[in-house]
């Protein structure tokens, strides 16, 4: 009978350890998934920022090149139109520069907004996963406490029976 009890306890302990190992692996996997997702979101936001910055820079260069080419072309035109065309070219260059600056500011703002949105989403996901992990921890703690109470009750019952048997034998 005692060997059977020891075998049962050993089996219960083995099952408990196995369940604990599974839970540890699950938690580790969840943590890794959260970390991978955070890294991926950060990388995607960084790639988006770089791409938008490159596009803005290319557009600024293109607009600047176009303005410079227009200035050269206008300079080569007839002498009688030179003053008027020079004024128009200067006005156009200023406008294009302003537009390029405005576009660059807008793209920079959009990249910042995208970065903030992605960061917010990552933080929300992190909070949600943290809450789920906490709920899982509470549930596991409750289950462990229940198992502990059942085990103690079983051991107490077994001890009571053994003591009753020994008391009976002593009579």
């Amino acid at each position: 009978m005692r060997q059977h009890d020891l075998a049962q306890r050993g089996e219960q302990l083995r099952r408990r350890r196995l369940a604990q190992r599974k839970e540890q692996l699950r938690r580790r996997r969840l943590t890794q998934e959260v970390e991978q997702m955070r890294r991926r979101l950060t990388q995607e936001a960084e790639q988006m920022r770089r791409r938008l910055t490159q596009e803005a820079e290319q557009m600024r260069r293109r607009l600047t090149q176009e303005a410079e080419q227009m200035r050269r072309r206008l300079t080569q035109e007839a002498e009688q139109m030179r003053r008027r065309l020079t004024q128009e070219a200067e006005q156009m260059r200023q406008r294009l520069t302003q537009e390029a600056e405005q576009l660059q500011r807008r793209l920079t703002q959009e990249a910042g907004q995208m970065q903030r949105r992605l960061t917010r989403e990552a933080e929300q996901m992190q909070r949600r996963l943290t809450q789920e992990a906490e709920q899982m921890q509470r549930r596991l703690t409750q289950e462990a406490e229940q198992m502990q109470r059942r085990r103690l009750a079983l051991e107490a019952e077994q001890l009571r029976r053994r003591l009753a048997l020994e008391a009976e034998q002593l009579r």
Side-chain angles (χ1 to χ4, degrees), residues 140-159:
L140 288 173
T141 300
Q142 289 171 355
E143 288 177 9
E145 288 172 354
Q146 288 173 357
M147 286 177 68
Q148 179 72 10
R149 284 192 294 271
R150 283 189 290 234
R151 184 182 61 80
L152 289 174
L154 181 63
E155 288 176 2
E157 179 61 26
Q158 289 172 353
L159 182 60

Side-chain angles (χ1 to χ4, degrees), residues 1 4-13 15-16 145-163:
M1 183 74 170
H4 177 70
D5 292 342
L6 289 175
Q8 280 184 330
R9 280 191 212 157
E11 180 62 22
Q12 289 173 350
L13 182 60
R15 286 181 187 160
R16 194 175 322 122
E145 288 172 354
Q146 288 173 357
M147 286 177 68
Q148 179 72 10
R149 284 192 294 271
R150 283 189 290 234
R151 184 182 61 80
L152 289 174
L154 181 63
E155 288 176 2
E157 179 61 26
Q158 289 172 353
L159 182 60
R160 186 188 60 74
R161 287 181 185 163
R162 195 176 76 221
L163 289 175

